[in-house]
Amino acid sequence: MSVKRHYEREFVRTFFTSPTAVKGEDDSAKMIRSASQLSGMSAPDVWVPDNEDATAPSMRDEGVQNIVDVVSENGADFPGEIHPRMVWHRESPATRYQGFQHMLEIADPEKGAIQHIDGFVIPEVGDIDDWKKADEFFTIVENEYGLEEGSLSMSVIVESGEAELAMGDLREEMGKPSNNLERLFLLVDGEVDYTKDMRAMTPTGELPAWPELRHNTSRGASAAGLIAVDGPYDDIRDVEGYHERMRDNQAKGMLGIWSLTPGQVVEANTAPLPPKTGSWLLEVDNRSVELVEEDGRQVYDGDDVSLEETGDGYTLRVGSDEDELDDDELRETLLDMTAYVPSMDDIVDSMEEFEAAKEAGKGAIAMTQSTTIVIDGIEVEIRKDRMWDEATYQAAQTPITLFQDVYEHRPDQHNELAEMYGSDVVERATDVGN
Amino acid sequence: MSVKRHYEREFVRTFFTSPTAVKGEDDSAKMIRSASQLSGMSAPDVWVPDNEDATAPSMRDEGVQNIVDVVSENGADFPGEIHPRMVWHRESPATRYQGFQHMLEIADPEKGAIQHIDGFVIPEVGDIDDWKKADEFFTIVENEYGLEEGSLSMSVIVESGEAELAMGDLREEMGKPSNNLERLFLLVDGEVDYTKDMRAMTPTGELPAWPELRHNTSRGASAAGLIAVDGPYDDIRDVEGYHERMRDNQAKGMLGIWSLTPGQVVEANTAPLPPKTGSWLLEVDNRSVELVEEDGRQVYDGDDVSLEETGDGYTLRVGSDEDELDDDELRETLLDMTAYVPSMDDIVDSMEEFEAAKEAGKGAIAMTQSTTIVIDGIEVEIRKDRMWDEATYQAAQTPITLFQDVYEHRPDQHNELAEMYGSDVVERATDVGN
Amino acid sequence: MSVKRHYEREFVRTFFTSPTAVKGEDDSAKMIRSASQLSGMSAPDVWVPDNEDATAPSMRDEGVQNIVDVVSENGADFPGEIHPRMVWHRESPATRYQGFQHMLEIADPEKGAIQHIDGFVIPEVGDIDDWKKADEFFTIVENEYGLEEGSLSMSVIVESGEAELAMGDLREEMGKPSNNLERLFLLVDGEVDYTKDMRAMTPTGELPAWPELRHNTSRGASAAGLIAVDGPYDDIRDVEGYHERMRDNQAKGMLGIWSLTPGQVVEANTAPLPPKTGSWLLEVDNRSVELVEEDGRQVYDGDDVSLEETGDGYTLRVGSDEDELDDDELRETLLDMTAYVPSMDDIVDSMEEFEAAKEAGKGAIAMTQSTTIVIDGIEVEIRKDRMWDEATYQAAQTPITLFQDVYEHRPDQHNELAEMYGSDVVERATDVGN
């Protein structure tokens, strides 16, 4: 038994928002209409018709209508979950009431949209009592239309200090009989408004990285059986930066991220999946350089490291440090400087190997990766051992479990996954660990 | 409606402590007497006659007398707020009782000081119940002298793990009818004692940076409508280090800092204000280098980046990386490497432009900065766009709101601000956003 | 009066686990038998016969028997404390019941082991109510065998988001009459399982650094009067990495760390103690280089900094930055670039000096370190002053208090400490500050 999740998806990679009503277009629903037709890797795990910040205040009533129209028409075929964002503000009863009215409107079963809607996203929540106000409106909506209590999931945008603190209370509050907070699903950071709420500033206006907020969101999700999602990455052109942010998030246990464009959706759907092929990294001055494979050997072709044979050993230069090393010392030094990024195939291999060992009564086994590193034409064989025990096995399993969750819930991505990895690997990856 | 602040200043840039009684001087009140006469940029937003750590234990009764003398004489003219620091310790009832007695003495209206005193600073607080003990003494003092309940504000020094945790409870505790914690004003980190309390150590004895403490203080202030202030920066000679710390704090929403000298007060009063002129930065290996303006062009004159024309394109070298780029790739690469630091004038411009767009019914507009970058004599035009929506607008507003708060409450700094920015910019900055 | 600690040791440097029963050996207790005979710097402050992850599930009943056998035989002579780790899981009543049964078995006084056992370690705890379940079993065990209530200490492994959050409640919960949580002793981070619980992942499978977790553990320990210990460092060969991690931990107030081998125990027992001799560091591009002492001068022999005399001053090059400086500017610049790491002797000197000054009625004095820096043959005298007041004194005292705690409780290490420092320094260090 683990922390119980009250929803189907165990992982959400992508949270994609679209404006519900755009002024000055022939069809104000244009953006959500096109979003509703996405599929495959361009379609998000969670699609959010956004009736809050992405839509002008004067267009929001029309936005509600558009949500109903588009979702009733295309919702049945949409491959991900659908969670429209409503208006809400911890400091404005008028905004909260408006959000409630919009939910009442969208959720009317006669309009044919709610059947395809998995829940609603509530922005700008405050302390836990404010979350309960929203939850109560969900309950009333469900009751009004004869929907099962708790069947609409609730996701929140964490964009205030109060909401950050509230995440520490979720586990305790979710059990109480006077609320239905078990409906909670995603905890999504909203760094722009959070920055405003915290009154933070940077010289260039760039958003602070807020590592503590992201940690606390991930921890709150972990403790309460929810899913943590990072906020939008504004610089749409900067694909490398988006990937760096996702890598940083993954190391915090925050595996999902907001996407602003279908292009970002593709990147974010792919990023948490293990790579097709493994690779070797050389760590130089706290930067990791990927080595280039040539005939099964890993070649370094940068300028920061050089290697020379001397009469009785080697001279290794790293930046401005120079060391005289014998054979063993060289191997040892390069071993410390290298790391291996396993492929999907490698991970599956290791898991299977460990499972077999466990069956045979062993609690821990050594996993080995070996290769030939080439620097300035000199070849050095290295061999990395890592002990795997039950805990290592389970920690390594995360990307595989995520892959399996994707595979189960997103048949529309099967082709692309098979193209990416080959069908063999996909099949083994869907089987392992079960 | 936003989180209600129960005090006048919305921002505090500077928290300046002075010893209340110095041994071996003709006038033991010398230090606070001279501090009480500061004005303009050398005068802090909050002045703290310090009857705790800065004053020897044997001199503290005399310190109380000196506070009364100096504040009753010069307090009316002091341009900032006055918040004397009393003795207190979560683990010593004797110290707490002494602090209470000192407050009773200073607050007696017949002595003529309390009329100019805005509140008291309580150091070494523990968990929330300890904060309440201090609050109760404030209430008794107020009641004893017929002052309005809650009229004396209370600031605390957070210098223990318990106090750090207590900041998570403030929002909830401040509403309770059995206390007057609404009197809270500043949450000030005290890193020296915090380091001792946490039993932390560093090889050189340098203080740890405590990023999590500062985050939690800023968050606590945000959630409870208080103001976060960082602790003292010991190395008074190190102006650049003080600025780096303030920049780091600002990105956390901690806009105030302790000052130990009038020189530090000037630096800390100025640091959160936008610069007079904008500037361009080039990011090289995670360091930002400011480009030099020459005839409207931005010139890089370092050695880490070089640019050369080849027959059909360019060779750009950054550190030891070399890339062959065509025109567009070069522009794109430099665009990624540059950032613009807007001036006060730029910020006001952008805000006005966005306000006009909003009035015209637009929810988001692109703000553009363009310039010519010069590297090794080669000119490259770049143009940075940034989308502004309501949230961006509000986040960008923080330095302007701070400026307006300063302008309203510190008429003694008007001349210096006009000199710094020019009267035009000052006038526009005081008007925008209202 | 400070936060009351309900146990003898004020500091724990080392937490060393050994498998309680190994399959396929003649003597399945081999590992704990040899560990039980460690002494001196190879013996940990806390030894943990590990009946959980280090021992295969099928061997754990035998492990309990082995603990009883080995501890009843060798426990009396073991120089550190003994805290066996039991099985436990917040999500498995069966595992919790098994842990309880194992404790009942080990604690039976007739078996002669419990007399030498200081407490038990409980892994995989959840929220505070889960901690209370474990505590209740301790109470029942104590009551069953006529042991004093609360006499068995309880340490926990923090390896879930819930447990991390629980540490914020300890101070409040420990006072309640319905539990005996005052028995708490160590808060130990378990990063492998924590990573799994948080569903975090990294490309290479390396563990995330989890700085916030370690901060929160250290803070939780500080607020509740407990001791914070970091989790295992897997790469046993990487001594330098282990030291870096310990330095990072120490700056967080987490002075203890898990050790997997007697070799790691030696490193971790030594790391928090001040060095035998002081040293000077030169900070270049955010890296600290230790200068080499030659005849009382501190010589830099790297390539990143160079210094040259010009006609009327100096050219100092640091990386690719070059500055023309006169005498004073050069001294000032080098002063900013250098730091001194005080020896045990230096710290004792400074403390004694401050104590004398305090006796003479001074609240603050300047401590000076001066030396001659040599770069490219050019000598520069520098002189660093640091103000010491009561707070500095107390913060600087941490390594000395730790040393004194070690000296009091680990007579088996006296010889090695005397060899390390000389008997004079040891004697002065045990006397100072008392």
Side-chain angles (χ1 to χ4, degrees):
Chain A
M1 187 191 105
S2 75
V3 174
K4 204 176 160 208
R5 298 177 190 274
H6 294 260
Y7 44 82
E8 249 181 278
R9 293 297 301 264
E10 258 191 87
F11 294 89
V12 166
R13 296 164 294 172
T14 36
F15 178 95
F16 174 55
T17 47
S18 324
T20 56
V22 185
K23 216 176 180 167
E25 302 281 347
D26 284 350
D27 172 14
S28 76
K30 186 183 161 185
M31 299 292 282
I32 49 170
R33 201 176 303 279
S34 80
S36 72
Q37 286 157 337
L38 293 170
S39 78
M41 294 305 270
S42 319
D45 286 340
V46 167
W47 174 45
V48 182
D50 183 2
N51 207 46
E52 199 222 11
D53 277 1
T55 300
S58 60
M59 300 297 286
R60 287 177 186 162
D61 288 336
E62 190 169 334
V64 164
Q65 203 42 60
N66 288 342
I67 293 172
V68 168
D69 291 350
V70 170
V71 173
S72 61
E73 190 182 332
N74 299 339
D77 295 330
F78 188 77
E81 297 199 354
I82 304 178
H83 296 253
R85 177 155 76 156
M86 301 290 94
V87 297
W88 189 267
H89 204 290
R90 60 194 175 283
E91 290 164 359
S92 162
T95 307
R96 295 196 295 271
Y97 184 46
Q98 192 188 16
F100 173 45
Q101 287 172 308
H102 287 165
M103 282 201 285
L104 269 175
E105 193 146 343
I106 295 171
D108 183 348
E110 304 212 340
K111 296 185 175 153
I114 195 68
Q115 291 80 346
H116 313 304
I117 286 178
D118 301 275
F120 291 99
V121 177
I122 305 297
E124 294 288 2
V125 288
D127 52 27
I128 192 72
D129 283 350
D130 186 60
W131 302 37
K132 291 179 189 168
K133 295 175 193 171
D135 164 57
E136 170 66 356
F137 287 153
F138 279 71
T139 301
I140 290 174
V141 166
E142 286 160 344
N143 185 63
E144 189 67 12
Y145 295 125
L147 305 170
E148 192 190 345
E149 220 172 281
S151 61
L152 289 172
S153 81
M154 169 172 149
S155 299
V156 298
I157 315 287
V158 175
E159 41 197 338
S160 66
E162 292 116 277
E164 186 186 351
L165 285 166
M167 293 189 295
D169 299 326
L170 284 183
R171 192 177 155 78
E172 205 174 309
E173 295 288 343
M174 279 169 70
K176 293 192 177 163
S178 51
N179 67 54
N180 286 310
L181 284 175
E182 295 90 340
R183 70 169 79 253
L184 280 167
F185 176 40
L186 306 177
L187 302 176
V188 184
D189 284 343
E191 278 95 351
V192 177
D193 277 301
Y194 182 80
T195 297
K196 176 192 74 179
D197 185 71
M198 293 282 279
R199 310 198 304 178
M201 56 199 207
T202 60
T204 59
E206 190 189 29
L207 288 178
W210 299 118
E212 295 89 358
L213 168 67
R214 288 181 286 140
H215 175 75
N216 292 339
T217 303
S218 182
R219 180 185 63 181
S222 175
L226 307 177
I227 293 179
V229 174
D230 193 18
Y233 191 80
D234 273 356
D235 192 347
I236 293 166
R237 295 175 327 109
D238 182 11
V239 177
E240 201 189 321
Y242 194 46
H243 276 276
E244 257 174 55
R245 178 61 169 235
M246 289 191 279
R247 252 194 312 280
D248 194 49
N249 286 341
Q250 287 160 13
K252 291 172 169 296
M254 180 177 255
L255 304 184
I257 194 166
W258 198 306
S259 297
L260 293 166
T261 65
Q264 281 195 335
V265 171
V266 174
E267 298 300 330
N269 272 339
T270 315
L273 300 173
K276 156 73 179 162
T277 52
S279 56
W280 287 86
L281 306 177
L282 195 70
E283 179 105 344
V284 184
D285 283 343
N286 295 318
R287 290 194 311 155
S288 287
V289 185
E290 195 174 323
L291 300 179
V292 179
E293 217 218 277
E294 282 175 20
D295 311 325
R297 304 167 320 156
Q298 302 293 329
V299 180
Y300 174 75
D301 62 359
D303 295 329
D304 291 324
V305 177
S306 68
L307 184 59
E308 227 180 312
E309 275 197 85
T310 57
D312 54 349
Y314 301 88
T315 304
L316 178 72
R317 193 185 47 77
V318 180
S320 58
D321 294 338
E322 223 173 79
D323 281 305
E324 302 296 322
L325 306 169
D326 66 22
D327 257 47
D328 284 351
E329 291 165 343
L330 177 62
R331 180 169 294 107
E332 202 66 10
T333 304
L334 290 180
L335 196 54
D336 283 350
M337 289 173 67
T338 47
Y340 182 67
V341 178
S343 66
M344 172 80 94
D345 208 27
D346 293 325
I347 300 175
V348 172
D349 273 351
S350 299
M351 286 180 63
E352 288 178 349
E353 209 176 311
F354 180 77
E355 285 170 7
K358 196 164 61 169
E359 200 112 317
K362 282 196 206 163
I365 56 169
M367 300 289 180
T368 301
Q369 282 291 345
S370 51
T371 196
T372 305
I373 305 282
V374 185
I375 301 175
D376 293 340
I378 300 173
E379 304 195 346
V380 187
E381 308 280 328
I382 63 164
R383 184 192 147 91
K384 279 196 122 55
D385 289 317
R386 194 175 166 205
M387 289 306 299
W388 272 52
D389 63 9
E390 183 66 27
T392 330
Y393 171 80
Q394 291 187 16
Q397 203 174 356
T398 299
I400 299 297
T401 316
L402 180 143
F403 174 82
Q404 293 172 345
D405 188 63
V406 168
Y407 200 81
E408 181 184 347
H409 293 94
R410 297 295 305 271
D412 60 309
Q413 297 186 346
H414 285 190
N415 282 344
E416 280 158 297
L417 292 172
E419 263 171 53
M420 201 185 302
Y421 292 115
S423 320
D424 279 17
V425 173
V426 166
E427 195 173 324
R428 292 177 61 217
T430 50
D431 285 350
V432 76
N434 292 318
Chain B
M1 185 191 110
S2 76
V3 173
K4 200 172 164 209
R5 299 178 188 274
H6 295 259
Y7 44 81
E8 248 181 280
R9 292 300 299 264
E10 257 191 87
F11 294 90
V12 166
R13 297 164 294 172
T14 36
F15 178 95
F16 174 54
T17 48
S18 324
T20 57
V22 184
K23 215 175 181 168
E25 302 281 347
D26 284 351
D27 172 14
S28 76
K30 186 183 161 188
M31 299 291 284
I32 48 170
R33 201 174 304 281
S34 80
S36 72
Q37 286 156 337
L38 292 170
S39 79
M41 294 305 271
S42 320
D45 285 339
V46 167
W47 174 45
V48 182
D50 183 2
N51 206 47
E52 199 222 13
D53 277 1
T55 300
S58 60
M59 299 297 286
R60 288 175 186 163
D61 288 336
E62 191 169 333
V64 166
Q65 204 41 62
N66 288 343
I67 292 172
V68 168
D69 290 351
V70 169
V71 173
S72 61
E73 192 182 330
N74 299 339
D77 295 329
F78 188 77
E81 297 200 353
I82 304 179
H83 297 253
R85 176 155 77 157
M86 301 289 94
V87 295
W88 188 267
H89 204 290
R90 60 195 175 283
E91 290 165 359
S92 162
T95 308
R96 295 195 295 270
Y97 184 46
Q98 192 188 15
F100 174 44
Q101 288 172 308
H102 287 165
M103 282 200 285
L104 268 175
E105 194 146 341
I106 295 170
D108 183 348
E110 304 212 340
K111 296 186 175 153
I114 195 68
Q115 291 79 346
H116 312 302
I117 286 177
D118 300 275
F120 291 100
V121 176
I122 305 298
E124 293 289 2
V125 288
D127 52 27
I128 193 72
D129 282 350
D130 186 61
W131 302 37
K132 291 179 188 167
K133 296 175 192 170
D135 164 57
E136 169 67 356
F137 287 153
F138 278 71
T139 302
I140 290 175
V141 166
E142 286 161 344
N143 185 63
E144 189 68 13
Y145 296 126
L147 306 169
E148 191 191 347
E149 222 171 281
S151 61
L152 289 171
S153 82
M154 171 170 149
S155 299
V156 298
I157 315 288
V158 174
E159 42 196 337
S160 65
E162 291 116 279
E164 186 186 352
L165 285 166
M167 292 189 295
D169 299 326
L170 284 183
R171 192 174 156 79
E172 203 174 311
E173 295 288 345
M174 279 169 71
K176 293 190 176 165
S178 52
N179 67 54
N180 286 310
L181 284 175
E182 295 89 341
R183 69 170 79 252
L184 280 166
F185 176 39
L186 306 177
L187 302 176
V188 185
D189 284 343
E191 279 95 352
V192 177
D193 276 302
Y194 182 80
T195 298
K196 176 191 74 180
D197 185 72
M198 292 283 278
R199 310 199 304 179
M201 57 200 206
T202 59
T204 59
E206 191 188 27
L207 287 178
W210 298 119
E212 294 91 357
L213 168 67
R214 288 180 287 141
H215 174 75
N216 292 338
T217 302
S218 183
R219 180 185 61 181
S222 174
L226 307 176
I227 293 178
V229 174
D230 193 18
Y233 190 82
D234 273 356
D235 193 346
I236 293 166
R237 295 176 325 109
D238 182 11
V239 177
E240 200 189 322
Y242 195 47
H243 275 275
E244 258 174 54
R245 179 62 169 233
M246 288 190 280
R247 252 195 312 278
D248 194 49
N249 286 341
Q250 287 159 14
K252 290 171 170 294
M254 181 176 254
L255 304 184
I257 193 167
W258 198 305
S259 297
L260 293 166
T261 64
Q264 281 194 334
V265 171
V266 174
E267 299 299 330
N269 272 339
T270 315
L273 299 174
K276 158 71 178 161
T277 51
S279 56
W280 286 87
L281 305 177
L282 195 71
E283 180 103 346
V284 185
D285 283 343
N286 296 317
R287 291 194 310 156
S288 286
V289 185
E290 194 175 323
L291 300 179
V292 180
E293 215 218 276
E294 281 176 20
D295 310 326
R297 302 168 321 154
Q298 303 293 329
V299 181
Y300 174 74
D301 62 0
D303 295 330
D304 291 325
V305 177
S306 69
L307 184 60
E308 226 178 311
E309 275 195 88
T310 57
D312 53 348
Y314 300 89
T315 304
L316 177 72
R317 194 187 46 76
V318 179
S320 57
D321 295 338
E322 223 172 80
D323 282 305
E324 303 297 321
L325 305 169
D326 66 21
D327 257 48
D328 283 351
E329 291 166 344
L330 177 62
R331 180 169 295 108
E332 201 67 8
T333 304
L334 289 180
L335 195 55
D336 283 350
M337 288 173 67
T338 47
Y340 183 66
V341 178
S343 66
M344 172 78 95
D345 209 25
D346 293 326
I347 299 175
V348 172
D349 272 351
S350 299
M351 287 179 63
E352 289 177 350
E353 207 175 313
F354 180 77
E355 286 170 7
K358 198 164 60 170
E359 199 112 319
K362 283 198 204 161
I365 54 168
M367 301 290 182
T368 300
Q369 282 292 344
S370 51
T371 195
T372 305
I373 306 282
V374 185
I375 301 175
D376 293 340
I378 301 173
E379 304 195 346
V380 187
E381 308 282 327
I382 64 165
R383 183 192 149 90
K384 277 195 124 54
D385 288 318
R386 196 179 165 202
M387 289 306 299
W388 271 53
D389 62 10
E390 183 66 29
T392 331
Y393 170 80
Q394 290 186 18
Q397 201 173 359
T398 300
I400 300 297
T401 315
L402 181 144
F403 174 81
Q404 294 172 344
D405 188 65
V406 168
Y407 200 81
E408 179 184 349
H409 293 95
R410 296 297 304 273
D412 60 309
Q413 297 186 347
H414 285 189
N415 282 343
E416 280 159 296
L417 292 172
E419 264 172 53
M420 201 183 303
Y421 292 113
S423 321
D424 278 15
V425 172
V426 166
E427 195 172 325
R428 292 177 61 217
T430 50
D431 285 348
V432 76
N434 291 319
Chain C
M1 184 191 109
S2 75
V3 174
K4 204 175 160 206
R5 298 178 189 274
H6 294 259
Y7 43 81
E8 247 180 281
R9 293 298 301 264
E10 257 191 88
F11 294 89
V12 166
R13 297 165 292 173
T14 37
F15 178 95
F16 174 55
T17 47
S18 324
T20 56
V22 184
K23 215 174 181 170
E25 301 281 347
D26 285 351
D27 172 14
S28 75
K30 189 182 157 186
M31 298 293 283
I32 49 170
R33 201 176 304 281
S34 80
S36 73
Q37 285 156 340
L38 293 169
S39 78
M41 294 305 270
S42 320
D45 286 340
V46 166
W47 175 45
V48 181
D50 183 1
N51 207 47
E52 199 223 13
D53 276 1
T55 299
S58 60
M59 300 297 286
R60 287 176 186 165
D61 289 335
E62 190 169 334
V64 165
Q65 204 41 61
N66 288 343
I67 293 172
V68 168
D69 290 351
V70 170
V71 173
S72 61
E73 191 183 331
N74 298 340
D77 295 331
F78 188 78
E81 297 199 356
I82 304 178
H83 297 252
R85 176 155 77 155
M86 301 289 96
V87 295
W88 189 267
H89 204 290
R90 60 195 175 282
E91 290 165 359
S92 163
T95 308
R96 295 196 295 270
Y97 183 46
Q98 191 188 17
F100 173 45
Q101 287 172 309
H102 287 165
M103 281 201 285
L104 268 175
E105 192 146 342
I106 295 170
D108 182 349
E110 302 211 341
K111 296 187 175 152
I114 195 67
Q115 292 79 348
H116 313 304
I117 286 177
D118 300 276
F120 291 99
V121 177
I122 306 298
E124 294 288 3
V125 288
D127 52 27
I128 193 72
D129 282 350
D130 186 61
W131 302 37
K132 291 178 188 167
K133 296 173 192 171
D135 165 57
E136 170 67 356
F137 287 153
F138 278 72
T139 302
I140 290 175
V141 166
E142 285 162 345
N143 184 62
E144 188 67 12
Y145 296 127
L147 305 169
E148 192 190 346
E149 220 171 282
S151 61
L152 289 171
S153 81
M154 170 170 148
S155 300
V156 297
I157 315 288
V158 175
E159 42 196 337
S160 66
E162 292 115 276
E164 186 185 351
L165 285 166
M167 293 190 295
D169 299 325
L170 285 182
R171 193 177 155 78
E172 203 174 311
E173 295 288 344
M174 279 169 71
K176 293 191 178 165
S178 52
N179 67 55
N180 286 309
L181 284 175
E182 295 89 341
R183 69 169 81 253
L184 280 167
F185 176 38
L186 305 178
L187 301 176
V188 184
D189 283 343
E191 279 94 351
V192 177
D193 277 301
Y194 182 80
T195 298
K196 177 191 72 178
D197 185 72
M198 293 283 278
R199 310 199 304 179
M201 56 199 207
T202 60
T204 60
E206 193 189 26
L207 288 178
W210 298 117
E212 295 90 356
L213 168 67
R214 289 181 284 140
H215 175 75
N216 292 339
T217 303
S218 183
R219 180 186 62 180
S222 175
L226 307 177
I227 292 178
V229 174
D230 193 18
Y233 190 81
D234 273 358
D235 192 347
I236 294 166
R237 295 174 327 108
D238 182 10
V239 178
E240 200 188 322
Y242 195 46
H243 275 276
E244 257 173 54
R245 177 62 169 232
M246 289 192 280
R247 252 194 312 278
D248 194 49
N249 285 341
Q250 287 160 14
K252 290 170 169 297
M254 181 177 254
L255 305 185
I257 193 168
W258 198 307
S259 297
L260 293 166
T261 65
Q264 282 195 334
V265 171
V266 174
E267 299 301 328
N269 272 339
T270 314
L273 299 173
K276 158 72 179 163
T277 50
S279 57
W280 286 87
L281 305 177
L282 195 69
E283 178 105 345
V284 184
D285 282 343
N286 296 317
R287 290 193 312 155
S288 287
V289 185
E290 194 174 324
L291 300 178
V292 180
E293 215 219 277
E294 279 176 22
D295 310 325
R297 304 169 319 157
Q298 303 292 330
V299 180
Y300 173 75
D301 62 0
D303 294 329
D304 291 324
V305 177
S306 69
L307 185 58
E308 228 180 310
E309 275 196 84
T310 58
D312 53 349
Y314 300 89
T315 304
L316 178 71
R317 193 186 47 75
V318 180
S320 57
D321 295 338
E322 223 174 80
D323 282 306
E324 303 297 320
L325 306 169
D326 66 22
D327 257 48
D328 284 350
E329 292 165 343
L330 177 62
R331 181 170 293 107
E332 201 67 11
T333 304
L334 289 180
L335 195 55
D336 283 349
M337 289 173 66
T338 47
Y340 182 67
V341 178
S343 66
M344 172 80 95
D345 209 26
D346 293 325
I347 299 175
V348 172
D349 272 352
S350 299
M351 287 180 63
E352 288 178 349
E353 209 176 311
F354 180 78
E355 286 170 7
K358 196 164 63 169
E359 200 112 319
K362 283 196 205 162
I365 56 169
M367 300 289 180
T368 301
Q369 282 292 344
S370 51
T371 195
T372 305
I373 305 282
V374 185
I375 300 175
D376 293 338
I378 300 173
E379 305 196 345
V380 186
E381 308 282 327
I382 63 163
R383 183 194 149 91
K384 277 194 125 53
D385 288 317
R386 193 176 168 205
M387 289 307 300
W388 272 53
D389 63 10
E390 184 66 28
T392 331
Y393 171 81
Q394 290 186 17
Q397 202 173 359
T398 299
I400 300 298
T401 316
L402 180 144
F403 175 81
Q404 293 171 345
D405 189 63
V406 167
Y407 201 81
E408 180 184 347
H409 293 96
R410 296 296 304 272
D412 61 309
Q413 297 186 347
H414 285 189
N415 282 342
E416 279 158 297
L417 292 172
E419 263 171 51
M420 201 185 303
Y421 291 114
S423 321
D424 278 17
V425 172
V426 167
E427 195 171 325
R428 291 177 61 218
T430 51
D431 285 349
V432 76
N434 292 318

